[in-house]
């Protein structure tokens, strides 16, 4: 079959679906000219008038005299520029019909190849190439370029290999060939092939060609071989052009070498070369990554001076100002863009989100819609991030509905964003439903849903999803490991924690971030020893490492160790606000007013912003240290009072027994427009409970549900049970429990049991005790409570049996202890303690105090509070050695007369010690502040702030 027949068959049957173009395709009247005018056709192509150019080319010509090939070439170049594939097919058909391809020396076929490649018709280009009998280097280049344009880098390299194999036909790769092949190597990441091409370029003397050298630089950079790219660049010497500099700068950007890119840019300036749009965009990216605002402004000024206003440069300016935190400058650039594209709109929306202007981001979306721009995937991702941070569930649902309507929700990234948004809006059900409906789940999807379960306290479900992810072949990265570690912390399962630790070691995931999380996790599991071992393995500790270890000590009651570690930390690293909030919490639990004032002074000296969490923590600290006046002073001085701060001061008032003040503070909070949350109502009900405000407590529980739509937690119901029980209404408290819409948990029964002990309702106490042991069989504190109930009833055998069960289960109860701060040192005492260095003086002082109280205050020990089956004499001795009495005695011998004493105790103060302390405050003329497990007691002049109701 002849070449002509092959071409005709290909053109009409295989490639072209249209018949040859008749002469009257564009005009009813055949033109009178015999061939197109060269000047007219050239002018039409220059003007981009494809329709008229086609009309002139396909006009009727004399038989046997087809249009010149350069006319076809001009039209095909215009078709390629406009990517007008349909018109390109028509030109091909016309060339076949006029016989132009029969006398073609390869020029016209190569132009057709180039056109098909530019129009994305790579299969047509391949069929045309396969039908060519004589292939030139230009034909090979055109086919390689066609595959490269279509994103088929591997196919382009295959064509190059075929070209090399046919080199016997005299076709030798030229500079354009090598440049295209090197680009394909970069796209495919095939550095070996790239090195071979480099060798061929050196062999043929093409390595000094600027075109080839620039392609070599780009190839090495894309393959991650930046050193080789820089060596090629340096080899060029005087042959460097702007494209050379742009290639090596772009290579640095691709490999994260931003400082090197900046240094090269300075070298380009010294070489007196002007920037083009590629240079500008590259340098603006450097400014964005390095937060080089001043340099970014210099580039902006250069653009304004040159009058260059390309949209790509304006978009790059938007991103640069956004990354540098200058929302105002980004907004100004955006307003000055005449023709905004989707990148402009999305960059401005992303700018608001990245800089925390979430409300402005939501408003800007409305502006986008008014401007006629339809939000796309990127817009939805940015919007959902803003809505998630704001917690605006309604707006999130609207965005979700829009995404479904526009069929954007099928995209995996969009689905992941909705997962995260609903998680931040605390909508677990919606997050799970989206995850289950996602057709394609990547590791971000799995990580997000596991985090969602973990943060919703569904820790077992999070672990189940983690196992599913492993079965699905999801690669566990640091982010996914962090999510499952959070779930493990919530489960407090030390065996699981150790398994995850081993998994992280085996898979090389134990970086600094994971080590910090391990410290947290072991601390949450109560394994401080393992936290400390992990802490000791960290060589380069950051602020998170120190803070995590401090939190581990604090959460496990090792408060002195936490304070000591904080002091050690300051010799290595400057504490930040998070670390300070953590240590303030430890100081509050330690009730160390002197250390609290030290930290407060540190905050003031170092100009920390006294707002939000910091002020709330200080209020908690001062109230926890017994200084309600300082807590109120801080609260009153705060400019912005959020719900957390209001809750902190309400809770402080309740702890100190100022129930009426707590109610007044709550009313003030409502008047300022701050809406209460669950914790606010919990603090309020707690205050009512400790101030015998029964009716008020019932009212606020009802308000919580009816007005604010907040469903009470178990703790809220427990407060009401405690409130009723403390006021003597134990039967009513029991009926209230039975009417609860939730199944009562241990905290509720514990409140009832405590009330029954106070008011001697032993029958109901047994009911509560049995429920308590049934719900929490591994809590040693519950066994102690139940044992005490039996002891008060005189059922010593039952009490002994319960305490035996503690030993049989391997449980250990916390011993009663009290501590007092003297001259910036905290001294701790346990019952019957003889370990203190001044133990002898302390016990002598107790004897002296007791004698004085008996003679002058009529004090008689109430041995009913000793719940041991021993003699009366032994019971009196036990009372004299209660830990708070040891602390009081030590305080009296260690301070000057009239100095207030501040004591903390981990358990509830017994009735006899309460009476003892009242008499000491009167006869020794001391103010004594005691914080027990429930509240504060302010003893002054023989009376207590609790009014004997605690």
């Amino acid at each position: 079959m002849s070449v002509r027949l092959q071409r005709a068959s290909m053109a009409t049957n295989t490639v072209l679906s249209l018949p040859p173009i008749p002469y009257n395709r564009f005009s009813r009247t055949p033109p009178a000219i015999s061939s197109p005018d060269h000047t007219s056709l050239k002018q039409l192509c220059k003007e981009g008038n494809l329709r008229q150019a086609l009309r002139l080319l396909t006009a009727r010509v004399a038989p046997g005299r087809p249009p010149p090939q350069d006319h076809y070439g001009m039209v095909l170049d215009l078709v390629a520029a406009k990517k007008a594939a349909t018109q390109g097919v028509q030109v091909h058909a016309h060339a076949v019909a006029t016989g132009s391809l029969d006398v073609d020396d390869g020029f016209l076929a190569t132009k057709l190849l180039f056109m098909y490649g530019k129009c994305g018709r790579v299969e047509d280009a391949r069929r045309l190439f396969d039908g060519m009998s004589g292939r030139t280097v230009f034909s090979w280049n055109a086919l390689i370029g066609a595959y490269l344009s279509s994103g088929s880098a591997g196919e382009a390299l295959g064509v190059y290999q075929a070209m090399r194999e046919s080199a016997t036909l005299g076709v030798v790769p030229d500079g354009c060939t090598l440049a295209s092949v090197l680009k394909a190597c970069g796209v495919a990441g095939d550095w070996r092939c790239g090195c071979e091409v480099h060798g061929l370029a050196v062999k043929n003397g093409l390595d000094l060609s600027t075109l080839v050298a620039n392609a070599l630089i780009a190839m090495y950079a894309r393959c991650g071989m930046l050193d080789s790219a820089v060596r090629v660049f340096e080899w060029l010497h005087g042959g460097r052009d702007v494209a050379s500099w742009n290639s090596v700068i772009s290579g640095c950007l691709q490999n994260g070498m931003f400082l090197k890119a900046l240094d090269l840019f300075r070298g380009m300036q010294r070489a007196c070369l002007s920037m083009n749009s590629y240079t500008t965009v590259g340098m603006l990216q450097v400014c964005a990554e390095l937060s080089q605002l001043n340099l970014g402004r210099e580039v902006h000024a250069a653009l304004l001076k040159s009058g260059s206003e390309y949209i790509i440069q304006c978009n790059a300016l938007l991103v640069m100002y956004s990354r540098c935190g200058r929302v105002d400058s980004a907004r100004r650039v955006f307003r000055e863009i005449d023709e905004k594209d989707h990148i402009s709109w999305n960059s401005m929306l992303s700018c608001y989100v990245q800089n925390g202007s979430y409300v402005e981001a939501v408003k800007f979306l409305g502006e986008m819609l008014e401007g006629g721009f339809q939000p796309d995937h990127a817009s939805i991702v940015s919007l959902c991030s803003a809505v998630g941070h704001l917690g605006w569930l309604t707006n999130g649902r609207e965005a979700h509905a829009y995404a479904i309507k526009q069929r954007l929700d099928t995209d995996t990234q969009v689905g992941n964003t909705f997962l995260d948004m609903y998680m931040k809006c605390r909508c677990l059900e919606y997050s799970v439903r989206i995850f289950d409906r996602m057709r394609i789940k990547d590791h971000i999807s799995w990580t997000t849903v596991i985090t969602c379960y973990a943060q919703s306290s569904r820790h077992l479900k999070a672990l189940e999803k983690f196992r599913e992810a492993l079965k699905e072949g999801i690669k566990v990265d640091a982010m996914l490991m962090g999510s499952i570690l959070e779930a493990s912390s919530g489960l407090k399962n030390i065996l699981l924690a150790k398994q995850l630790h081993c998994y992280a070691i085996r898979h090389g995931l134990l970086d600094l971030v994971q080590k910090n999380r391990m410290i947290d996790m072991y601390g949450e599991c109560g394994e401080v020893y393992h936290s400390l071992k992990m802490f000791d393995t960290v060589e380069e500790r950051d602020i998170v490492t120190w803070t995590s270890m401090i939190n581990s000590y604090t959460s496990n009651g090792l408060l002195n160790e936490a304070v000591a570690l904080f002091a050690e930390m300051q010799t290595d690293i400057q504490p930040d606000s998070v670390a300070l909030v953590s240590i303030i919490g430890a100081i509050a639990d330690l009730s160390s007013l002197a250390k609290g004032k030290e930290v407060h002074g540190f905050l003031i000296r170092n100009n920390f912003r006294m707002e939000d969490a910091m002020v709330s923590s200080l209020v908690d600290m001062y109230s926890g240290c017994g200084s309600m006046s300082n807590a109120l002073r801080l609260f009153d001085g705060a400019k912005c009072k959020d719900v957390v701060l209001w809750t902190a001061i309400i809770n402080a008032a309740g702890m100190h027994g100022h129930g009426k003040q707590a109610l007044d503070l709550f009313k003030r909070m409502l008047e300022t427009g701050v809406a209460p949350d669950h914790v606010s109502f919990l603090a309020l009900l707690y205050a009512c409970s400790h101030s015998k405000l029964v009716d008020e407590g019932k009212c606020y529980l009802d308000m919580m549900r009816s007005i604010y739509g907040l469903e009470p937690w178990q703790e809220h119901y427990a407060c009401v049970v405690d409130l009723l029980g403390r006021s003597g209404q134990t039967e009513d408290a029991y009926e209230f429990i039975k009417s609860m819409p939730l199944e009562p948990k241990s905290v509720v029964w514990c409140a009832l049991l405590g009330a029954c002990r106070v008011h001697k309702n032993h029958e109901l106490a047994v009911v509560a005790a049995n429920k308590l042991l049934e719900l929490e069989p591994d809590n040693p504190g519950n066994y102690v409570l139940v044992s005490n109930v039996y002891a008060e009833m005189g059922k010593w055998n039952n009490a002994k049996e319960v305490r035996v069960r503690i030993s049989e289960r391997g449980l250990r109860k916390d011993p009663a202890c009290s501590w007092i701060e003297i001259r910036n040192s905290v001294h701790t005492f346990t019952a019957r303690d003889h370990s203190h260095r001044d133990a002898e003086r302390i016990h002598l002082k107790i004897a002296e105090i007791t004698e004085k109280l008996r003679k002058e205050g009529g004090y008689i020990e109430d041995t009913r509070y000793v719940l041991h089956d021993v003699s009366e004499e032994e019971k009196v001795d036990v009372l004299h050695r209660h830990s708070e009495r040891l602390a009081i005695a030590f305080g009296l011998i260690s301070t000057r007369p009239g100095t207030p004493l501040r004591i903390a105790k981990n358990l509830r103060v017994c009735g006899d010690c309460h009476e003892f302390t009242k008499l000491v405050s009167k006869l020794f003329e001391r103010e004594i502040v005691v914080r027990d497990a429930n509240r504060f007691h302010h003893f002054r002049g023989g009376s207590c702030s609790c009014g004997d109701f605690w």
Side-chain angles (χ1 to χ4, degrees):
M1 183 180 291
S2 67
V3 173
R4 183 182 185 281
L5 289 175
Q6 287 177 357
R7 291 171 181 164
S9 175
M10 172 199 66
T12 57
N13 298 328
T14 307
V15 178
L16 306 176
S17 59
L18 298 176
I21 306 171
Y23 74 89
N24 62 348
R25 170 67 175 161
F26 300 108
S27 174
R28 293 183 178 275
T29 305
I33 56 175
S34 60
S35 64
D37 180 73
H38 180 85
T39 304
S40 301
L41 184 63
K42 184 177 182 180
Q43 184 64 30
L44 288 171
C45 291
K46 185 177 180 180
E47 294 172 355
N49 193 337
L50 179 58
R51 180 181 178 84
Q52 291 301 323
L54 283 171
R55 181 177 182 181
L56 189 58
L57 178 69
T58 58
R60 187 176 61 185
V61 296
R65 293 184 60 191
Q69 288 192 342
D70 62 331
H71 288 197
Y72 280 115
M74 286 187 287
V75 175
L76 286 171
D77 285 343
L78 181 58
V79 169
K82 290 182 173 291
K83 293 183 171 55
T86 303
Q87 287 80 356
V89 170
Q90 291 174 352
V91 175
H92 189 177
H94 188 273
V96 172
T98 59
S100 297
L101 287 171
D102 293 338
V103 294
D104 180 35
D105 58 359
F107 170 81
L108 180 54
T110 301
K111 285 289 185 181
L112 285 166
L113 276 174
F114 177 78
M115 179 272 296
Y116 280 126
K118 286 292 184 181
C119 293
R121 303 282 287 264
V122 67
E123 293 181 0
D124 292 344
R126 182 73 199 213
R127 282 194 290 269
L128 176 61
F129 179 83
D130 290 341
M132 293 175 63
S133 57
R135 298 164 183 159
T136 65
V137 65
F138 305 108
S139 309
W140 287 98
N141 289 349
L143 186 60
I144 291 172
Y147 277 117
L148 196 56
S149 298
S150 67
S152 304
E155 295 289 343
L157 294 177
V159 174
Y160 167 69
Q161 293 299 332
M163 179 184 183
R164 293 294 309 279
E165 292 168 4
S166 64
T168 54
L169 300 176
V171 180
V172 179
D174 60 5
C176 292
T177 312
L178 298 186
S180 297
V181 173
L182 287 169
K183 183 177 180 180
C185 290
V187 172
D190 192 346
W191 61 271
R192 289 186 176 86
C193 181
C195 290
E196 291 175 7
V197 176
H198 191 177
L200 181 63
V202 173
K203 181 179 179 180
N204 294 343
L206 296 173
D207 57 318
L208 291 178
S209 163
T210 305
L211 177 66
V212 176
N214 292 346
L216 279 167
I217 294 169
M219 181 275 295
Y220 281 125
R222 293 197 68 168
C223 291
M225 303 171 68
L226 188 60
D227 291 341
S228 298
V230 173
R231 280 199 295 272
V232 173
F233 174 76
E234 292 172 347
W235 177 255
L236 274 176
H237 293 297
R240 301 169 186 160
D241 60 4
V242 175
S244 309
W245 288 94
N246 286 342
S247 296
V248 72
I249 289 172
S250 176
C252 291
L253 295 177
Q254 292 169 17
N255 289 273
M257 305 288 287
F258 303 112
L259 289 174
K260 179 68 175 176
L262 183 58
D263 184 56
L264 286 167
F265 175 68
R266 295 302 188 193
M268 180 180 176
Q269 289 181 315
R270 288 192 293 271
C272 300
L273 289 173
S274 300
M275 296 188 302
N276 61 14
S277 59
Y278 292 101
T279 319
T280 303
V281 171
M283 290 321 300
L284 288 173
Q285 184 181 346
V286 170
C287 296
E289 295 291 343
L290 299 178
S291 297
Q292 290 286 332
L293 180 60
N294 290 336
L295 178 59
R297 284 172 169 168
E298 289 179 19
V299 176
H300 192 178
L303 287 174
L304 294 175
K305 186 176 180 181
S306 65
S308 176
E309 294 183 358
Y310 294 116
I311 185 67
I312 188 173
Q313 295 169 332
C314 293
N315 290 340
L317 278 170
L318 262 176
V319 174
M320 184 274 296
Y321 281 124
S322 172
R323 296 286 292 276
C324 291
R326 297 306 302 266
V327 180
D328 53 341
S329 299
R331 189 186 297 113
R332 194 176 302 117
V333 171
F334 176 79
R335 300 299 181 203
E336 293 174 356
I337 300 175
D338 293 328
E339 296 183 4
K340 303 175 179 68
D341 60 7
H342 69 283
I343 296 178
S344 310
W345 287 100
N346 284 331
S347 296
M348 192 64 231
L349 179 61
S350 177
C351 174
Y352 283 122
V353 175
Q354 289 175 10
N355 289 279
S357 302
Y358 305 120
V359 176
E360 288 80 358
V362 176
K363 291 179 181 177
F364 183 74
L365 184 77
E367 185 178 335
M368 290 170 65
L369 295 171
E370 290 175 3
F373 176 78
Q374 291 298 317
D376 57 8
H377 293 81
S379 314
I380 294 297
V381 168
S382 295
L383 176 65
C384 287
S385 177
V387 170
H389 280 94
L390 292 169
W392 290 359
L393 181 58
T394 302
N395 297 84
R397 286 172 172 169
E398 290 175 355
H400 194 181
Y402 175 86
I404 294 173
K405 185 177 180 181
Q406 300 296 323
R407 298 185 178 180
L408 300 174
D409 60 317
T410 56
D411 181 78
T412 302
Q413 185 184 10
V414 173
N416 291 339
T417 306
F418 280 121
L419 265 175
D420 182 68
M421 180 200 71
Y422 282 124
M423 178 182 71
K424 289 175 179 172
C425 292
R426 298 185 178 182
C427 253
L428 174 63
E429 181 184 350
Y430 287 178
S431 291
V432 173
R433 194 178 301 168
I434 288 174
F435 177 81
D436 291 339
R437 292 183 178 180
M438 290 176 68
R439 288 181 294 177
I440 301 175
K441 303 178 179 74
D442 59 10
H443 77 281
I444 296 178
S445 313
W446 287 97
T447 301
T448 306
V449 76
I450 290 170
T451 303
C452 188
Y453 277 121
Q455 293 183 355
S456 301
S457 299
R458 300 278 297 279
H459 308 301
L460 286 174
K461 195 67 178 178
L463 183 59
E464 179 185 323
K465 284 295 177 185
F466 178 68
R467 288 171 176 155
E468 285 182 28
L470 294 179
K471 290 178 183 177
E472 291 291 329
I474 297 297
K475 184 179 179 181
V476 180
D477 59 1
M479 188 181 300
L480 182 53
M481 178 56 66
S483 298
I484 196 61
L485 286 176
E486 183 177 356
S488 177
S489 298
L491 287 171
K492 295 180 173 52
N493 187 321
I494 186 60
L495 181 60
L496 175 62
K498 289 179 177 179
Q499 289 176 347
L500 291 172
H501 190 174
C502 293
Y503 184 93
I505 293 172
R506 287 198 307 271
H507 293 83
L509 297 172
L510 208 57
D511 57 8
L512 178 60
V513 174
Q514 300 309 323
K515 286 183 178 180
N516 293 341
R517 283 176 169 165
M518 292 282 182
I519 294 171
D520 280 328
M521 178 182 67
Y522 281 125
E524 290 288 335
C525 294
E527 296 289 339
V528 183
Y529 172 73
H530 290 298
S531 288
L532 188 58
K533 281 187 68 176
M534 179 62 72
F535 177 79
D536 291 337
T537 65
V538 182
E539 296 179 359
E540 298 294 330
R541 297 167 183 158
D542 61 4
I543 187 65
V544 180
T545 314
W546 289 95
T547 306
S548 297
M549 193 62 228
I550 289 171
N551 286 334
S552 292
Y553 277 137
T554 304
S555 60
N556 286 278
L558 300 173
L559 307 176
N560 286 315
E561 288 81 353
V563 174
L565 188 65
F566 177 75
E568 182 185 344
M569 180 185 77
Q570 294 180 70
T571 64
D572 179 63
I573 195 169
Q574 180 80 357
D576 63 0
S577 56
V578 178
L580 288 163
V581 167
S582 297
I583 199 61
I584 288 171
I587 291 170
D589 291 338
L590 194 59
S591 198
S592 175
L593 184 60
K595 286 183 172 59
K597 288 181 175 180
E598 286 180 13
V599 174
H600 192 180
F602 178 88
L603 292 170
I604 295 171
R605 288 194 304 274
N606 289 275
N607 298 315
F608 278 84
R609 297 179 65 183
M610 303 297 288
E611 58 185 22
D612 300 332
M614 190 65 73
V615 176
S616 301
S617 298
L618 285 170
V619 168
D620 278 333
M621 183 272 295
Y622 277 120
S623 65
C625 293
S627 181
M628 191 63 188
S629 57
N630 281 327
L632 284 168
R633 193 177 300 117
L634 259 173
F635 173 79
D636 292 334
K639 295 180 180 178
C640 181
K641 298 179 177 68
D642 60 5
V643 65
V644 178
L645 182 55
W646 279 104
T647 301
I649 196 65
I650 291 170
N651 184 60
M655 283 178 61
H656 286 266
H658 307 313
K660 292 292 185 181
Q661 184 183 22
L663 300 188
D664 290 339
L665 286 166
F666 183 76
K667 291 174 183 176
R668 282 175 55 193
M669 181 181 77
L670 299 183
E671 289 169 0
T672 59
V674 177
D677 59 9
H678 281 87
V679 184
S680 307
F681 276 107
L682 190 59
L684 190 63
L685 290 172
Y686 178 91
C688 292
S689 172
H690 286 276
S691 296
K692 212 172 184 178
L693 302 174
V694 179
D695 293 335
E696 290 85 346
K698 291 178 178 179
C699 176
Y700 283 120
L701 182 71
D702 182 64
M703 177 193 293
M704 178 181 179
R705 288 178 294 197
S706 60
I707 297 180
Y708 294 97
L710 300 172
E711 285 301 318
W713 298 339
Q714 292 279 344
E715 291 79 6
H716 296 97
Y717 290 117
C719 279
V720 175
V721 171
D722 189 60
L723 174 63
L724 293 169
R726 282 177 184 275
S727 62
Q729 304 174 43
T730 53
E731 294 294 339
D732 290 342
Y734 183 51
E735 291 300 321
F736 177 80
I737 292 175
K738 291 194 290 185
S739 67
M740 282 174 53
L742 303 176
E743 186 68 27
K745 293 188 177 179
S746 58
V747 64
V748 176
W749 292 110
C750 189
L752 179 62
L753 181 60
C756 290
R757 281 189 60 198
V758 172
H759 295 284
K760 311 302 181 185
N761 189 337
H762 294 147
E763 183 179 349
L764 194 54
V766 172
V767 174
N770 291 332
K771 286 286 186 179
L772 200 56
L773 295 182
E774 178 186 332
L775 290 169
E776 288 188 348
D778 294 325
N779 187 337
N782 292 341
Y783 288 96
V784 174
L785 282 174
V786 174
S787 173
N788 291 342
V789 168
Y790 284 126
E792 289 174 350
M793 296 170 65
K795 296 182 178 181
W796 298 109
N797 290 333
N798 297 86
K800 184 178 180 180
E801 180 185 341
V802 171
R803 290 186 178 268
V804 168
R805 289 170 64 183
I806 296 179
S807 301
E808 289 176 347
R809 287 180 169 269
L811 304 176
R812 185 170 57 91
K813 76 179 188 72
D814 294 329
C817 68
S818 301
W819 54 95
I820 183 172
E821 186 178 25
I822 303 293
R823 287 186 290 276
N824 209 24
S825 294
V826 177
H827 299 260
T828 304
F829 301 90
T830 57
R832 306 179 189 181
D833 193 356
H834 290 271
S835 62
H836 196 275
R837 65 174 184 267
D838 291 323
E840 186 176 350
R841 293 177 62 202
I842 291 170
H843 287 283
L844 287 173
K845 188 66 175 177
I846 287 179
E848 177 192 330
I849 295 170
T850 305
E851 187 64 27
K852 185 173 182 177
L853 297 188
R854 285 171 176 168
K855 288 182 178 179
E856 301 179 24
Y859 169 67
I860 300 175
E861 291 85 351
D862 190 347
T863 57
R864 292 177 302 169
Y865 294 100
V866 179
L867 303 176
H868 298 282
D869 190 15
V870 294
S871 66
E872 283 297 310
E873 184 179 348
E874 289 177 296
K875 288 182 179 181
V876 170
D877 186 64
V878 168
L879 287 174
H880 289 175
R881 283 156 180 76
H882 275 188
S883 61
E884 58 265 51
R885 301 196 192 199
L886 299 176
I888 290 172
F890 180 68
L892 290 176
I893 65 177
S894 303
T895 59
R896 290 178 298 180
T899 304
L901 302 181
R902 301 179 187 276
I903 298 165
K905 184 177 181 179
N906 65 335
L907 301 179
R908 184 177 183 271
V909 173
C910 77
D912 187 70
C913 288
H914 192 267
E915 190 65 26
F916 175 90
T917 310
K918 285 199 300 183
L919 290 172
V920 170
S921 70
K922 177 181 180 181
L923 298 180
F924 287 83
E925 298 180 353
R926 295 286 190 112
E927 179 186 355
I928 304 174
V929 180
V930 178
R931 189 191 77 185
D932 69 5
N934 291 334
R935 58 169 298 157
F936 273 91
H937 300 265
H938 293 261
F939 297 94
R940 186 184 293 109
S943 62
C944 179
S945 60
C946 72
D948 297 336
F949 178 80
W950 79 101

